[in-house]
Amino acid sequence: MCIAAFIWQAHPLYPLLLLQNRDEYHNRPTEPVAWWDGCDILGGRDAVAGGTWLACSRTGRVAFLTNVLELHALPEAKSRGELPLRFLESTKSPKEFAESLVKEVHLYNGFNLIVADIASKSMVYLSNRPKGEAIVIQEVSPGIHVLSNAKLDSPWPKAQRLEKNFKEQLEQYGEGEIPVKEMIHKLMRDTVKAAKSRLPGICSTDWEYNLSSIFIEVETPLGRYGTRSTIGLTVRANGEASFYETYLENDMWKERTVKYYISKAKSY
């Protein structure tokens, strides 16, 4: 399902600082963060459908998504993981790209997609849910945001908890350096579940309760499901990007960091 917290264009050192948990079945084949062969895309890869949940490019484009919690999914739907890739491979602005998707978003199950271009300081949010309502295309304002499994900044318990803790950590570090690994440990491993009375009531109470923590672990008939990757992505004002991932591989937690400079990055 995934959850992300980020600060956008509101910190003197970091135009973007993003933390994201990826939730998925543990037995689904996945490749850890790396540069993809033949292109300038950096991110993890779903080895089944070939897409990604968060990736960036050498030119300073960033895209990530979460699923929308819904009772019925379409088995014939296109893979949502292709959407970030399409943006990263595109030359359209974030807004132009979002607008170009409107006519085909019905081909996908529920998603929240954020696409950004660091150089132009543009970030756009797109969602195809709730069904029957107008497609949401929204410029993301500078500041702190949380994206879970409803609309951007929806007041779900896990989103509110992560936002509160994220703000507290940012206030602690002020305008100085932010230790991303330490922040991930404090924020993204949180297993506290919500009160059942505060659950959204979309699916079964037990399933929603198991999904109500920031870090998820649950046994299902299809195998263990939960948080199997956490990413910390930072982009500095001088164009230096750092992509840190801690991930499960053969039931062992591993980590990897890739750093690079965004080409043609502007000064902030």
Side-chain angles (χ1 to χ4, degrees):
M1 300 298 289
C2 303
I3 187 170
F6 59 97
I7 181 168
W8 168 246
Q9 299 296 342
H11 191 284
L13 296 184
Y14 305 94
L16 175 65
L17 187 151
L18 166 67
L19 309 178
Q20 186 189 46
N21 277 353
R22 182 208 181 199
D23 305 322
E24 184 54 86
Y25 286 100
H26 287 202
N27 56 15
R28 187 177 178 98
T30 299
E31 298 173 13
V33 58
W35 289 106
W36 293 26
D37 292 340
C39 59
D40 288 334
I41 292 175
L42 174 67
R45 176 179 281 180
D46 172 20
V48 176
T52 189
W53 52 100
L54 189 161
C56 51
S57 74
R58 290 193 186 276
T59 58
R61 292 163 77 82
V62 179
F64 60 99
L65 59 76
T66 67
N67 296 348
V68 172
L69 182 64
E70 50 192 350
L71 187 58
H72 300 293
L74 301 174
E76 70 277 12
K78 296 177 70 173
S79 171
R80 291 165 284 204
E82 72 175 34
L83 294 171
L85 299 184
R86 289 176 58 181
F87 172 72
L88 296 174
E89 292 169 347
S90 165
T91 58
K92 295 177 180 177
S93 71
K95 186 176 181 181
E96 289 171 341
F97 178 79
E99 291 173 343
S100 73
L101 287 182
V102 169
K103 293 183 179 179
E104 55 181 292
V105 293
H106 66 282
L107 301 175
Y108 300 87
N109 285 315
F111 69 82
N112 296 303
L113 174 68
I114 288 183
V115 292
D117 178 69
I118 302 298
S120 63
K121 301 183 182 181
S122 174
M123 178 181 279
V124 170
Y125 163 68
L126 169 70
S127 180
N128 65 345
R129 293 294 186 271
K131 285 184 177 180
E133 294 187 10
I135 303 302
V136 175
I137 297 179
Q138 171 189 333
E139 287 277 357
V140 179
S141 60
I144 294 170
H145 300 275
V146 176
L147 183 64
S148 59
N149 310 116
K151 289 183 179 180
L152 180 65
D153 297 320
S154 288
W156 280 23
K158 65 191 294 182
Q160 290 180 318
R161 182 177 176 84
L162 180 54
E163 180 181 23
K164 175 180 177 293
N165 294 340
F166 188 44
K167 285 181 177 178
E168 289 176 353
Q169 287 294 303
L170 291 173
E171 289 170 0
Q172 176 182 331
Y173 299 120
E175 297 185 351
E177 297 275 341
I178 297 175
V180 171
K181 291 184 183 181
E182 182 178 320
M183 184 174 277
I184 282 175
H185 180 74
K186 290 180 178 178
L187 302 184
M188 309 306 286
R189 299 290 181 179
D190 188 345
T191 58
V192 174
K193 293 181 171 59
K196 291 186 177 181
S197 61
R198 298 192 62 204
L199 299 176
I202 298 168
C203 304
S204 72
T205 299
D206 286 346
W207 182 238
E208 289 189 2
Y209 181 70
N210 284 322
L211 299 181
S212 68
S213 54
I214 294 165
F215 186 93
I216 295 170
E217 289 180 302
V218 57
E219 296 291 342
T220 81
L222 298 177
R224 176 169 290 186
Y225 178 90
T227 304
R228 51 177 296 180
S229 168
T230 302
I231 290 169
L233 173 63
T234 60
V235 178
R236 291 177 175 269
N238 64 357
E240 182 185 12
S242 176
F243 197 123
Y244 167 77
E245 182 185 30
T246 176
Y247 59 97
L248 270 177
E249 185 174 279
N250 299 322
D251 294 324
M252 296 284 291
W253 282 97
K254 300 182 178 182
E255 61 180 29
R256 181 176 298 180
T257 301
V258 180
K259 295 186 177 183
Y260 69 101
Y261 278 90
I262 294 170
S263 59
K264 299 178 182 179
K266 295 181 179 180
S267 297
Y268 289 82

